[in-house]
Amino acid sequence: MPERLPSYSAYISADELLNELYGKKLIDCDDSIIDFLTQHQHSKRPPFYLNFLIGLGAFIASVCFISVIVIGFAIRSDEGFIIFGFIFCVLAILLQKIVEGSDVGVVKNSFFSQSLFYFMMSGKVLLCFGMASMFDFSWGLSITLLLVTASTYFLYPVSIDRFIWCTAFFISLFVNILWQRDFVGYRELIFNGLILFYAVSAVLLMTNIKMKFDYAPLLYSLLFSLCISVLFLASHNKFGYWHNEEVVGVLFATWLFAGCLIFAIHGIAKGSSKPKNEALVLAYLGVFLFPVFLILYYYNLDISLMDKSIVLISSGLALLAGRFYISFKGWDKEIFA
Amino acid sequence: MNSDKVFSLEHLRADPRMVEELYAHDKISPEARAYALDYLSSANQWGLWCSRVLLAIGSTLVLSGLIYFFAFNWSKIPPLIKLSSIQLGIVGCLIFTYFYTLKRLIGQNFLFCASFLVGVFMAVFGQIYQTGADAYKLFMMWSLMIFGWILISNFSPLWILWLAVTNLFIILWWDQGALPDHSMKYMVFIYLVILNSALLSLREYFAGDKDKFWMQQPWVRGVLVLAVLIPMAFPIIILIMNPSSNFSIIASAGLGLLGHTVMYSLYRYQRPNIKALAATILSLCIIAEVLALKVIAELPGMSDILMFLVMAVATLTIFSVTAIYLRKLMDILEVDHA
């Protein structure tokens, strides 16, 4: 019989989990937990294909409706963008509160929520466009993004919206530092300081056991921005103004990430549960972005094809040796679902 | 726990998100949360994950290194060495396949590598001898040569590789070999639907066979359903965007509509599966949306504002009806399975 492809985890029912916790005296025999799970089971989120369908429809409808408003009111000036952006944002927030408090059913709730999401996105884009134009200097966009994101973070508690706008703000900081003419001479110091700030903030958020869902988008945004920064520097690290070429080094970031990786591996090998449980989603992000980094890194290596082949094969053999070591130690024993 | 509840928690799968929601609503303590998360995660989850990632990335790096090596030395390597080294790779993979047997994943992976190297061999052969052959012949020979292996492999990814190669062969053959005239240009969609439907039918036919569990993985059905739906939907959308009396586009679109009906019937009544059904319904929804937007955009005497407003209403209607119907189907199919 051919071997089955193993699963990462066996099926555990909610009943089994609660009994386990009760047996360890970590919870009481309390019906409120069952009631909570029952209620959430019946009001669970739609599956991804339904969300995709609803999202696609909401996107098209929102684009059409916003076109009606923009064409109808002939928005052309910065003030017009700001006013309508503000109106869209306020409407989205108010209507979201109404939808959340009503009992319209899961599908309608999801449809309204997604439509309001596109309203909020459009409102923020109009707001940022208008305000950034009014500020009329390079940091204007970053300041605008900070104001818009901070003011709506708790008023409009939608994870994807929080993630997108936090990421936009962090990326804008990154862009300003790399291309701002005022930083000639100490650009590398400021950039690496920014990397350190992102990394420390992410670690603080990740290790804070009391971190609620509210801050998860911020954490993912920090880590995603870090990844984007590294990927960009893997492909392009020379910034030149008026024939004064500057190189932003990646040595500090390399040491920082290598240290984090060693620490994480050490923690995992010791059986620490915290990295396992809280970083699984981030691990999938890493799996997606890591090949991109490898492609950029090796493609841009300034060595001959022959030397590249030696580097690639050596790197690959080192990773394969790691894999066989894990297998030899039995750390990859499989669970069949 | 209290067993008087009507709703049973045995059918509710516990996952980290559930634990986080319980904790966020102060239903469990921090200690209970940490223990629950640890209980849900397999002790070797990360080890298994790391092992697979290292294997995938390590193999990719080694293969990339070999490609760079050949690229560097290409002009200096005699044709005999070029071809024989690839053949050696194929033979080596087959030896390892025999050693590990097709009952083990590693053996199946080696057969996959051997199948892939056959394609590399065909490409190098064509490049060395400059036969002037069209690209479709490369894919045709590749598909024919590995067909025997895929029959014995019991390995879904190899079947998907063969399907991709064969689809490419058909598309390229139609363009380079068959050289159809304008009236027959779109017949290629029909051939793709026939091929991919045949494979999907085989998959569904053996769905209940315990010995064929390797093709029963949900992702296989997902890939095959998409491979069937896309060539069915494309000619319909093309016909809507550019109405014509071209026989091939009308025939392809007609087959597409018929195919959507058959798939709906199959996954609604005979082999109930909500994801395949949802994909079929989504495809129909997109077709309806394209038709609606096309009709509205071409209505005479409409201002831009009115056009966008009608489009918005039409879109809301189409997608709302589809979502509500899909939701009802989800409830019906869950009840049927229960």
Side-chain angles (χ1 to χ4, degrees):
Chain A
M1 177 74 74
E3 64 176 306
R4 291 170 174 264
L5 198 65
S7 170
Y8 288 116
S9 62
Y11 180 90
I12 298 174
S13 68
D15 209 44
E16 190 181 335
L17 175 66
L18 293 176
N19 283 323
E20 176 69 19
L21 291 173
Y22 180 67
K24 295 290 181 187
K25 295 183 174 35
L26 291 168
I27 59 173
D28 298 323
C29 184
D30 190 352
D31 286 346
S32 68
I33 295 177
I34 296 177
D35 291 337
F36 176 84
L37 291 175
T38 306
Q39 185 185 8
H40 273 69
Q41 169 66 9
H42 282 303
S43 63
K44 64 182 177 185
R45 291 188 308 171
F48 79 92
Y49 46 85
L50 197 57
N51 267 332
F52 176 77
L53 174 76
I54 294 169
L56 181 62
F59 173 70
I60 297 172
S62 301
V63 167
C64 294
F65 188 63
I66 289 165
S67 300
V68 169
I69 293 177
V70 171
I71 295 173
F73 288 95
I75 300 174
R76 295 287 181 268
S77 64
D78 293 343
E79 291 80 10
F81 286 122
I82 292 173
I83 290 169
F84 276 93
F86 183 75
I87 291 172
F88 280 4
C89 290
V90 169
L91 273 176
I93 291 169
L94 290 175
L95 290 173
Q96 181 73 12
K97 301 285 183 211
I98 294 171
V99 167
E100 278 176 1
S102 65
D103 185 21
V104 295
V106 175
V107 170
K108 289 179 188 170
N109 189 303
S110 184
F111 184 83
F112 287 132
S113 297
Q114 300 226 19
S115 296
L116 292 173
F117 169 71
Y118 289 113
F119 254 78
M120 176 59 93
M121 284 284 287
S122 304
K124 285 185 175 178
V125 167
L126 289 173
L127 205 54
C128 288
F129 188 76
M131 287 177 69
S133 297
M134 282 185 71
F135 278 120
D136 197 28
F137 72 110
S138 58
W139 288 95
L141 182 59
S142 295
I143 294 172
T144 303
L145 285 167
L146 177 63
L147 289 172
V148 168
T149 305
S151 58
T152 58
Y153 194 88
F154 290 102
L155 291 175
Y156 189 71
V158 175
S159 298
I160 186 69
D161 180 79
R162 287 169 164 174
F163 172 77
I164 288 171
W165 291 95
C166 287
T167 305
F169 168 65
F170 294 133
I171 299 282
S172 74
L173 286 182
F174 164 75
V175 168
N176 275 324
I177 287 171
L178 287 179
W179 275 277
Q180 185 61 254
R181 292 181 186 180
D182 297 335
F183 293 150
V184 172
Y186 44 96
R187 191 182 311 280
E188 185 172 327
L189 181 66
I190 294 175
F191 180 77
N192 284 309
L194 185 70
I195 294 268
L196 181 63
F197 170 74
Y198 286 177
V200 168
S201 305
V203 167
L204 285 174
L205 283 173
M206 204 185 300
T207 54
N208 183 357
I209 197 169
K210 292 183 181 171
M211 187 188 82
K212 306 273 187 184
F213 279 140
D214 284 342
Y215 298 110
L218 179 61
L219 167 64
Y220 294 152
S221 174
L222 279 166
L223 291 168
F224 185 71
S225 304
L226 270 172
C227 293
I228 296 299
S229 309
V230 170
L231 285 177
F232 184 80
L233 283 184
S235 64
H236 183 84
N237 66 345
K238 292 179 183 169
F239 302 89
Y241 294 100
W242 305 106
H243 308 292
N244 295 320
E245 198 171 69
E246 287 182 86
V247 174
V248 176
V250 294
L251 196 59
F252 172 77
T254 305
W255 285 349
L256 180 67
F257 296 143
C260 290
L261 185 62
I262 291 169
F263 177 77
I265 291 172
H266 180 252
I268 290 163
K270 283 181 68 178
S272 169
S273 63
K274 204 169 291 183
K276 284 192 294 186
N277 299 321
E278 297 181 2
L280 191 58
V281 173
L282 301 169
Y284 285 116
L285 178 67
V287 166
F288 172 69
L289 291 178
F290 190 50
V292 177
F293 169 77
L294 289 176
I295 291 168
L296 288 171
Y297 176 73
Y298 284 108
Y299 184 80
N300 288 306
L301 276 179
D302 193 15
I303 53 179
S304 67
L305 287 175
M306 185 64 169
D307 293 335
K308 276 190 192 181
S309 68
I310 295 170
V311 168
L312 280 165
I313 291 174
S314 306
S315 308
L317 289 175
L319 293 181
L320 288 173
R323 188 264 174 189
F324 283 111
Y325 181 74
I326 290 174
S327 189
F328 173 74
K329 282 288 191 182
W331 290 340
D332 60 347
K333 282 291 180 292
E334 300 139 351
I335 291 176
F336 293 93
Chain B
M1 304 304 287
N2 192 334
S3 59
D4 293 340
K5 291 293 177 186
V6 174
F7 184 80
S8 169
L9 297 180
E10 289 169 354
H11 297 293
L12 179 62
R13 182 170 189 161
D15 55 27
R17 185 175 176 87
M18 175 195 292
V19 175
E20 297 292 358
E21 284 187 356
L22 284 169
Y23 178 68
H25 288 84
D26 296 322
K27 298 295 179 187
I28 58 175
S29 65
E31 293 78 22
R33 171 187 173 270
Y35 185 87
L37 291 174
D38 201 44
Y39 185 75
L40 287 174
S41 303
S42 160
N44 288 325
Q45 183 184 35
W46 277 93
L48 183 62
W49 181 85
C50 285
S51 173
R52 287 179 178 170
V53 168
L54 288 174
L55 178 64
I57 296 178
S59 307
T60 305
L61 286 174
V62 169
L63 282 173
S64 303
L66 289 172
I67 290 169
Y68 270 95
F69 175 79
F70 277 101
F72 178 79
N73 294 297
W74 196 246
S75 56
K76 303 169 200 169
I77 300 175
L80 180 63
I81 301 295
K82 285 178 189 174
L83 293 173
S84 56
S85 60
I86 299 172
Q87 288 172 331
L88 205 65
I90 294 171
V91 170
C93 287
L94 290 175
I95 290 173
F96 278 114
T97 302
Y98 179 78
F99 177 72
Y100 284 108
T101 76
L102 287 171
K103 292 181 182 176
R104 292 184 61 185
L105 183 61
I106 190 166
Q108 292 168 332
N109 274 316
F110 274 115
L111 187 62
F112 185 94
C113 291
S115 303
F116 190 82
L117 284 174
V118 167
V120 174
F121 178 84
M122 299 301 303
V124 170
F125 187 91
Q127 190 261 346
I128 289 172
Y129 290 104
Q130 295 291 321
T131 57
D134 294 315
Y136 78 86
K137 289 181 183 171
L138 181 154
F139 288 98
M140 180 182 74
M141 293 307 297
W142 188 2
S143 172
L144 284 172
M145 282 183 179
I146 65 173
F147 186 64
W149 289 344
I150 67 145
L151 285 178
I152 63 170
S153 67
N154 293 338
F155 193 42
S156 307
L158 193 48
W159 276 93
I160 300 302
L161 171 69
W162 180 83
L163 185 69
V165 169
T166 311
N167 272 265
L168 277 170
F169 152 59
I170 291 174
I171 293 168
L172 291 171
W173 164 71
W174 192 248
D175 188 47
Q176 299 167 355
L179 299 172
D181 58 20
H182 181 71
S183 64
M184 301 296 280
K185 199 167 70 162
Y186 297 102
M187 290 295 287
V188 65
F189 289 113
I190 295 178
Y191 303 140
L192 291 172
V193 168
I194 291 171
L195 169 71
N196 298 334
S197 302
L199 225 60
L200 179 62
S201 304
L202 274 175
R203 192 262 176 216
E204 297 302 342
Y205 180 76
F206 288 111
D209 191 338
K210 288 179 186 174
D211 288 337
K212 305 277 188 300
F213 70 87
W214 55 270
M215 68 160 69
Q216 292 161 12
Q217 295 157 18
W219 71 269
V220 176
R221 171 188 272 150
V223 170
L224 291 173
V225 163
L226 287 176
V228 172
L229 281 175
I230 290 172
M232 287 202 301
F234 253 88
I236 301 173
I237 292 174
I238 292 172
L239 185 61
I240 292 171
M241 299 300 290
N242 295 303
S244 104
S245 56
N246 183 311
F247 166 75
S248 61
I249 191 67
I250 293 173
S252 304
L255 179 67
L257 282 173
L258 178 65
H260 277 86
T261 311
V262 169
M263 285 191 68
Y264 174 84
S265 169
L266 175 70
Y267 291 114
R268 171 70 181 88
Y269 300 108
Q270 293 172 26
R271 297 243 185 248
N273 181 273
I274 189 61
K275 288 181 182 170
L277 195 56
T280 307
I281 291 172
L282 178 62
S283 176
L284 286 168
C285 179
I286 291 172
I287 291 168
E289 175 71 11
V290 170
L291 179 63
L293 294 182
K294 172 79 174 172
V295 166
I296 293 168
E298 290 183 350
L299 283 175
M302 284 190 95
S303 64
D304 286 345
I305 295 177
L306 189 59
M307 182 184 71
F308 279 116
L309 189 60
V310 174
M311 279 184 181
V313 172
T315 302
L316 280 171
T317 308
I318 290 170
F319 279 87
S320 298
V321 166
T322 307
I324 291 168
Y325 180 64
L326 203 51
R327 185 69 192 187
K328 280 191 179 160
L329 282 178
M330 282 169 59
D331 292 335
I332 292 170
L333 290 180
E334 277 182 13
V335 168
D336 286 348
H337 284 145

